[in-house]
């Protein structure tokens, strides 16, 4: 279980109750170790009681509410949809919601500007001549491609430009006329009526602003945050070196929150924290030689080049990407990122052995899009409430020649699951944090397929598990006797999808009377996914697109096929 150190606090109650309260806070802090220090962390009371019972603590359903009653400054209780949650923060203070009176919206600020200050009735000072291009903004913007939303923005800018131009005094600095009397402003053509943007969608208005501000070198931006570039604090070469050294010392990517607090030594509650976090992201974004952004909009991780890779070392990431190259044809041309909140996935042997998940259309719709241009990977956090653990997972985005995948779930798979297990992955409000769970079932025991790393051969071993499995993906000895003692295919052969499928027929071991082998589509899908990944559509494409006659539909069984050895070219 992962826990987080919390500062020493004073708890109320007996000695036993104080010790239990301290342990409960440690569990809650461990649950939210990647969350902000003052963010509310919720834990189901029933799950917490079960966990404490497993540590031989004598607790009941009334123990937790009593701890909350004794320590209201540390814990609080929340009821939601019939469930009871205990809430605390990593700082050990009961979190409180934001002040509703302080909330505001962009629409309200835009439509209710501050009144223009009154001008004193005194002799005006000499002022520099106003820039004439403000009165001809059409000429300035003519080179840009203007959309419907941008027309609205341009009308708004024209109105502001006319207002500015009307206040410019047309006089030369230092001339006698300037000292005697103020010149009357020249008449300016009346601007268009103030634009009412209440009917415009937030997305259209944001896109129009982003398009124009993004072309201005004076404006700095990172993700959805913007600022004038000359107001962004700069990082010294020493700051950059210390940031790089600290990431290398921790041997894993770190978030901007951690780097600002631990390296730049700016406290999270400081008024300078947000501006320094923006400065760190913006400045590191231009240091491509030493730093790489590997985060999301809500969870901004930074990495350096010589960090140990996240996930398996059984196979190179480039080789895994080549295995998933077929997936590029299955991904939509217009990805709908973050369009679903939950997916279910049945795990194959290939995924279990390497501790990964495929970047298929379903998972793509759950995960976020790359935040910055050219982003190759993103570090996500996967939390498993059933084991109170959180894992760093690296998402490798697809490239023109390689498919995408997620690495880093080796320990989770080995400790809880078997090939064929059914997973559930849920999105959270944080676009970089996900909840992964598995369906529990009664304990079962089968002789399941394993690949010995040292001897590199397939064996069947007795395996007990209590997770729900999809039977068609369960590789047991009774269904696939041909695997026993067999070695994995050599690298050259496994690159050919037809060769892998033919090997799956032979390992299924169902010989036909007239020669050859037969197998159901479900059997072939499970067996083929031992050597390299296959989706259902990709396997059907191989079986039905074969022109050699080696593969053919079985006339006696539905959704089954036959294979004649020696027929492949």
């Amino acid at each position: 279980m992962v826990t987080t150190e919390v500062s020493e606090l004073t708890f109320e109650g007996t000695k036993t109750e104080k010790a239990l309260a301290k342990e409960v806070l440690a569990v809650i802090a461990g649950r939210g170790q990647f969350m902000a220090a003052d963010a509310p962390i919720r834990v189901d009371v029933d799950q917490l009681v079960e966990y404490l019972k497993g540590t031989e603590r004598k607790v009941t359903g009334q123990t937790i509410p009593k701890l909350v009653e004794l320590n209201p400054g540390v814990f609080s209780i929340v009821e939601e949809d019939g469930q009871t949650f205990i809430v605390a923060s990593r700082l050990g203070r009961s979190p409180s919601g934001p002040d509703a009176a302080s909330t505001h919206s962009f629409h309200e600020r835009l439509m209710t500007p501050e009144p223009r200050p009154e001008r004193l009735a005194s002799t005006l000072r000499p002022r520099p001549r106003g820039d004439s291009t403000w009165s001809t903004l059409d000429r300035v913007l003519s080179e840009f491609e203007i959309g419907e939303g941008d027309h609205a923005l341009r009308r708004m800018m024209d109105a502001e430009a006319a207002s500015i131009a009307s206040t410019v005094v047309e006089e030369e600095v230092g001339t006698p006329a300037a000292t005697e009397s103020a010149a009357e402003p020249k008449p300016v053509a009346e601007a268009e009526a103030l634009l009412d943007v209440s009917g415009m969608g937030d997305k259209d208005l944001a896109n129009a602003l982003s398009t124009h501000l993004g072309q201005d070198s004076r404006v700095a931006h990172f993700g959805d945050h913007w600022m004038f570039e000359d107001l962004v604090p700069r990082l010294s070469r020493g700051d950059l070196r210390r940031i790089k050294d600290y990431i290398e010392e921790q041997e894993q990517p770190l978030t901007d929150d951690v780097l600002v607090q631990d390296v730049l030594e700016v406290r999270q509650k400081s008024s300078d924290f947000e501006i320094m976090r923006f400065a760190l992201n913006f400045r590191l974004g231009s240091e491509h030689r030493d730093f790489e952004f590997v985060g999301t909009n809500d969870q901004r991780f930074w990495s350096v080049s010589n960090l140990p890779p996240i996930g398996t070392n059984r196979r190179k990431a480039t080789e895994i990407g080549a295995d998933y190259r077929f997936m590029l044809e299955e991904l939509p041309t217009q990805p709908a990122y973050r369009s679903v909140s939950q997916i279910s996935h049945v795990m194959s042997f290939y995924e279990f052995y390497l501790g990964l998940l495929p970047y298929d259309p379903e998972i793509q719709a759950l995960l976020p899009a790359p935040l910055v241009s050219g982003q190759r990977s993103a570090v996500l956090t996967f939390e498993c409430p059933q084991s109170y653990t959180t894992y760093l997972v690296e998402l490798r985005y697809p490239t023109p020649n390689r498919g995408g995948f997620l690495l880093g779930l080796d320990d989770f798979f080995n400790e809880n699951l078997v090939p064929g297990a059914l997973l559930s992955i849920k999105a959270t409000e944080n676009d970089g944090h996900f909840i992964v769970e598995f369906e529990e079932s009664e304990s079962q025991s089968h002789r399941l397929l394993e690949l010995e790393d040292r001897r590199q051969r397939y064996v069947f071993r007795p395996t007990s598990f209590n997770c729900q499995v999809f039977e068609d993906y369960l590789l047991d000895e009774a269904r696939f006797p041909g695997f026993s003692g067999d070695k994995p295919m050599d690298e050259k052969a496994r690159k050919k999808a037809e060769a892998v499928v033919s090997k799956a027929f032979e390992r299924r071991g169902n010989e036909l009377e007239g020669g050859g082998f037969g197998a159901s589509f479900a059997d072939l899908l499970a067996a083929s996914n031992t050597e390299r990944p296959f989706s259902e559509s990709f396997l059907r494409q191989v079986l039905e697109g074969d022109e050699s006659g080696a593969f053919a539909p079985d006339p006696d069984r539905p959704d089954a096929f036959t294979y004649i050895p020696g027929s492949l070219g």
Side-chain angles (χ1 to χ4, degrees), residues 340-543:
V340 299
S341 60
Q342 179 178 351
I343 65 166
S344 297
H345 179 78
V346 180
M347 184 171 53
S348 69
F349 183 91
Y350 181 91
E351 296 163 8
F352 176 84
Y353 180 68
L354 297 178
L356 59 80
L357 291 171
Y359 191 70
D360 57 22
E362 288 187 347
I363 291 184
Q364 184 188 62
L366 179 75
L367 301 182
L371 183 64
V372 299
S373 177
Q375 184 175 347
R376 298 179 299 176
S377 63
V379 174
L380 312 173
T381 50
F382 274 48
E383 177 188 353
C384 179
Q386 292 156 304
S387 58
Y388 293 96
T389 49
T390 302
Y391 304 89
L392 283 184
V393 175
E394 182 179 17
L395 163 60
R396 295 290 186 103
Y397 287 108
T399 68
N401 297 319
R402 294 185 177 93
F405 51 92
L406 296 92
L407 281 175
L409 294 167
D410 316 53
D411 293 340
F412 173 62
F413 288 173
N414 290 325
E415 293 170 5
N416 302 287
L417 308 175
V418 294
L422 182 63
L423 291 176
S424 171
I425 307 174
K426 301 177 184 177
T428 66
E429 293 183 359
N430 182 336
D431 67 356
H433 186 73
F434 298 85
I435 305 297
V436 57
E437 296 176 301
F438 59 92
E439 294 290 337
E440 298 184 25
S441 65
E442 297 294 331
S443 181
Q444 305 178 54
S445 182
H446 292 270
R447 290 181 60 83
L448 298 182
L449 183 68
E450 292 185 13
L451 176 58
E452 291 185 335
D453 286 331
R454 185 173 61 85
R455 301 177 63 182
Q456 281 295 292
R457 69 169 186 173
Y458 291 106
V459 296
F460 288 96
R461 290 198 174 100
T463 306
S464 297
F465 55 92
N466 63 346
C467 59
Q468 183 177 333
V469 296
F470 193 64
E471 296 290 341
D472 288 343
Y473 272 80
L474 203 62
L475 295 165
D476 58 19
E477 190 172 20
R479 288 176 62 208
F480 300 95
F483 272 104
S484 183
D486 199 8
K487 291 183 174 294
M489 300 174 66
D490 62 72
E491 193 64 25
K492 183 177 180 181
R494 65 177 294 280
K495 289 182 178 179
K496 300 178 181 179
E498 294 80 3
V500 175
V501 174
S502 63
K503 193 69 172 178
F505 273 101
E506 297 172 1
R507 288 168 169 170
R508 175 64 178 87
N510 182 22
E511 297 189 32
L512 303 176
E513 293 183 0
F517 297 88
S520 68
F521 180 82
D523 290 342
L524 293 175
L525 186 62
S528 298
N529 267 286
T530 57
E531 297 287 347
R532 56 172 289 172
F534 279 82
S535 66
E536 292 188 17
S537 58
F538 181 50
L539 179 57
R540 290 194 184 277
Q541 179 183 337
V542 173
L543 291 169

Side-chain angles (χ1 to χ4, degrees), residues 19 38 74 121 190 194 284 294 304 329 368 372 377 429 455 500 531 544-545 551:
D38 58 349
V74 180
E190 186 173 351
L194 182 63
L284 292 190
V294 291
V304 294
E329 299 179 0
V372 299
S377 63
E429 293 183 359
R455 301 177 63 182
V500 175
E531 297 287 347
E544 298 171 0
F551 306 134

Side-chain angles (χ1 to χ4, degrees), residues 150 152 157 340:
D150 291 356
M157 294 173 66
V340 299

Side-chain angles (χ1 to χ4, degrees), residues 128-384:
R129 186 182 301 275
D131 189 346
S132 61
T133 58
W134 278 100
S135 61
T136 57
L137 194 60
D138 281 339
R139 179 170 59 84
V140 178
L141 299 180
S142 60
E143 58 184 289
F144 299 119
E145 186 175 335
I146 304 298
E148 181 61 31
D150 291 356
H151 279 300
L153 177 65
R154 186 173 64 180
R155 290 195 297 269
M156 202 165 42
M157 294 173 66
D158 282 341
E160 180 64 18
S163 175
I164 293 175
S166 66
T167 64
V168 175
V169 179
E170 296 291 340
E171 58 186 24
E172 294 294 332
V173 178
T175 60
T179 59
E180 293 178 2
S181 62
E184 292 294 329
K186 292 185 178 180
V188 178
E190 186 173 351
E192 296 183 47
L194 182 63
L195 177 65
D196 181 4
V197 298
S198 58
M200 291 181 62
D202 292 344
K203 186 176 181 180
D204 293 337
L205 187 57
N207 288 340
L209 289 170
S210 298
T211 298
H212 288 279
L213 292 178
Q215 297 169 350
D216 193 332
S217 61
R218 298 168 299 175
V219 180
H221 72 94
F222 190 89
D224 57 1
H225 290 76
W226 302 76
M227 189 176 183
F228 281 113
E229 199 277 338
D230 58 355
L231 299 180
V232 181
R234 299 187 179 276
L235 302 180
S236 67
R237 301 313 301 177
D239 292 333
L240 296 175
R241 183 177 62 254
R242 288 188 293 117
I243 292 172
K244 181 179 180 181
D245 292 344
Y246 190 67
I247 296 176
E248 291 175 347
E249 289 173 7
Q250 300 301 312
E251 296 185 340
Q252 68 178 37
L254 299 176
T255 62
D256 53 358
D257 286 351
V258 173
L259 294 174
V260 171
Q261 293 180 80
D262 294 356
V263 181
L264 301 183
E265 299 180 348
V266 179
R267 292 178 301 146
Q268 193 167 30
K269 292 190 175 181
S270 169
S271 59
D272 295 331
F273 182 79
E274 289 299 331
I275 189 173
M276 287 306 302
R277 186 167 65 167
F278 178 83
L280 180 136
N281 287 315
F282 177 68
R283 299 302 181 192
L284 292 190
S286 60
E287 300 290 334
H288 303 294
R289 188 175 66 175
D290 295 325
F291 299 95
E292 181 182 5
F293 179 75
V294 291
T296 64
N297 189 56
D298 297 330
Q299 203 162 259
R300 299 179 176 183
F301 280 94
W302 287 94
S303 180
V304 294
S305 58
N306 55 348
L307 287 185
I310 295 175
T312 183
N313 57 6
R314 288 172 167 171
R315 195 165 184 79
K316 295 180 180 178
T318 54
E319 296 174 342
I320 298 174
D323 287 345
Y324 279 110
R325 184 175 180 177
F326 73 91
M327 197 72 73
L328 296 175
E329 299 179 0
E330 300 181 7
L331 294 176
T333 55
Q334 297 293 333
Y337 299 110
R338 300 276 293 177
S339 58
V340 299
S341 60
Q342 179 178 351
I343 65 166
S344 297
H345 179 78
V346 180
M347 184 171 53
S348 69
F349 183 91
Y350 181 91
E351 296 163 8
F352 176 84
Y353 180 68
L354 297 178
L356 59 80
L357 291 171
Y359 191 70
D360 57 22
E362 288 187 347
I363 291 184
Q364 184 188 62
L366 179 75
L367 301 182
L371 183 64
V372 299
S373 177
Q375 184 175 347
R376 298 179 299 176
S377 63
V379 174
L380 312 173
T381 50
F382 274 48
E383 177 188 353
C384 179

